[in-house]
């Protein structure tokens, strides 16, 4: 209560608003440390939102709110905050990467790929983004193979090939290519190769 009174006093002057935002972020941190899973309670979320109103230049707070909303499954709210963070930090690799994660969580694979390309322009060797997008294409291909839609599955696998670099990922790709091959005999050699890999 004393800290919140201090925030009320500090925010009355333009010079004190950044200090008030800092106090609110520290209060949110304390509440996160006391929760068993490290998640933010409603009060802590409100304090972080208010801190951004007072100091919208704090990128870490933007990212924290984005991650918390994504993990809680509040993807609509996450997209709203992503728009605000993108306006505040255009082209920022970490903000764009969080956008990729949100798009993947929503199943928006095309949007995720577009954002990933922007991340890779700023950070060309970002392995996390490459793997995320490649794995999302593999997941979509698995779904299509399960539904016996083999041609669209092969297109997804071709797209995944652009993103994946590790030997394990390439092995999964070969395995799925074997399952999506037509005729089935053509896939046998790919399956043998995938199992060997």
């Amino acid at each position: 209560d004393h800290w919140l009174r201090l925030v009320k006093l500090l925010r009355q002057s333009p010079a004190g608003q950044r200090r008030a935002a800092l106090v609110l972020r520290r209060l949110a941190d304390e509440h996160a440390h006391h929760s068993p899973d490290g998640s933010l309670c409603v009060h802590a979320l409100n304090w972080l939102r208010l801190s951004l109103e007072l100091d919208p230049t704090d990128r870490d707070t933007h990212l924290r709110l984005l991650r918390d909303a994504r993990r809680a499954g509040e993807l609509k709210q996450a997209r709203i905050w992503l728009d605000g963070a993108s306006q505040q930090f255009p082209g920022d690799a970490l903000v764009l990467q969080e956008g990729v994660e949100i798009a993947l969580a929503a199943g928006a694979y095309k949007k995720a790929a577009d954002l990933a390309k922007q991340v890779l322009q700023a950070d060309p060797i970002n392995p996390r983004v490459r793997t995320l997008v490649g794995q999302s294409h593999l997941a979509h291909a698995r779904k299509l193979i399960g539904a016996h839609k083999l041609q669209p599955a092969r297109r997804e696998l071709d797209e995944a090939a652009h993103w994946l670099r590790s030997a394990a990922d390439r092995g999964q790709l070969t395995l799925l290519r074997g399952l999506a091959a037509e005729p089935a005999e053509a896939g046998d050699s790919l399956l043998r190769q995938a199992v060997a890999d």
Side-chain angles (χ1 to χ4, degrees):
D1 289 342
H2 293 301
W3 286 113
L4 292 174
R5 280 191 215 110
L6 175 63
V7 167
K8 195 178 282 188
L9 290 171
L10 287 172
R11 68 185 289 191
Q12 292 174 4
S13 71
Q17 288 186 351
R18 289 185 74 173
R19 293 175 71 195
L22 180 62
V23 170
L24 290 167
R25 287 194 294 269
R26 295 297 179 256
L27 283 172
D29 286 343
E30 278 301 310
H31 275 70
H33 291 308
H34 294 307
S35 71
D37 60 353
S39 63
L40 295 172
C41 68
V42 175
H43 293 302
L45 282 172
N46 289 335
W47 293 331
L48 287 178
R49 290 178 193 142
L50 181 56
S51 80
L52 283 181
E53 289 175 22
L54 298 171
D55 179 17
T57 63
D58 187 64
R59 184 187 67 175
D60 291 340
T61 302
H62 282 280
L63 292 173
R64 189 171 177 189
L65 284 171
L66 288 169
R67 287 181 189 125
D68 196 66
R70 177 176 48 83
R71 289 177 186 145
E74 298 172 8
L75 300 179
K76 184 176 180 181
Q77 183 63 52
R79 284 191 293 272
I80 291 169
W81 285 334
L82 178 63
D83 291 341
S86 297
Q87 289 174 0
Q88 190 70 35
F89 308 100
D92 183 87
L94 290 176
V95 172
L96 289 170
Q97 185 170 330
E98 194 56 42
V100 171
E101 301 258 14
I102 292 167
L104 291 175
Y109 301 116
K110 185 170 175 34
K111 174 86 172 163
D114 291 343
L115 288 169
K117 288 174 186 170
Q118 291 178 40
V119 172
L120 294 174
Q121 286 176 350
D123 183 9
I125 58 170
N126 189 318
R128 172 113 175 101
V129 169
R130 297 187 83 79
T131 302
L132 277 173
V133 176
Q135 287 295 328
S136 73
H137 284 295
L138 287 181
H140 196 221
R142 280 188 209 99
K143 183 178 172 183
L144 292 169
I145 290 169
H148 302 291
K149 297 179 180 177
L150 299 181
Q151 187 159 355
R154 287 193 293 272
R155 282 195 299 268
E156 284 295 317
L157 293 171
D158 289 342
E159 191 62 35
H162 294 295
W163 298 98
L164 299 173
R165 298 284 182 253
S166 76
D169 290 337
R170 298 302 238 171
Q172 286 182 28
L173 184 64
T174 304
L175 179 68
L176 290 172
R177 281 189 195 278
L179 294 173
E182 288 182 313
E185 297 80 29
D188 288 347
S189 65
L190 286 171
L191 288 172
R192 284 189 199 96
Q193 180 187 344
V195 169
D197 289 348

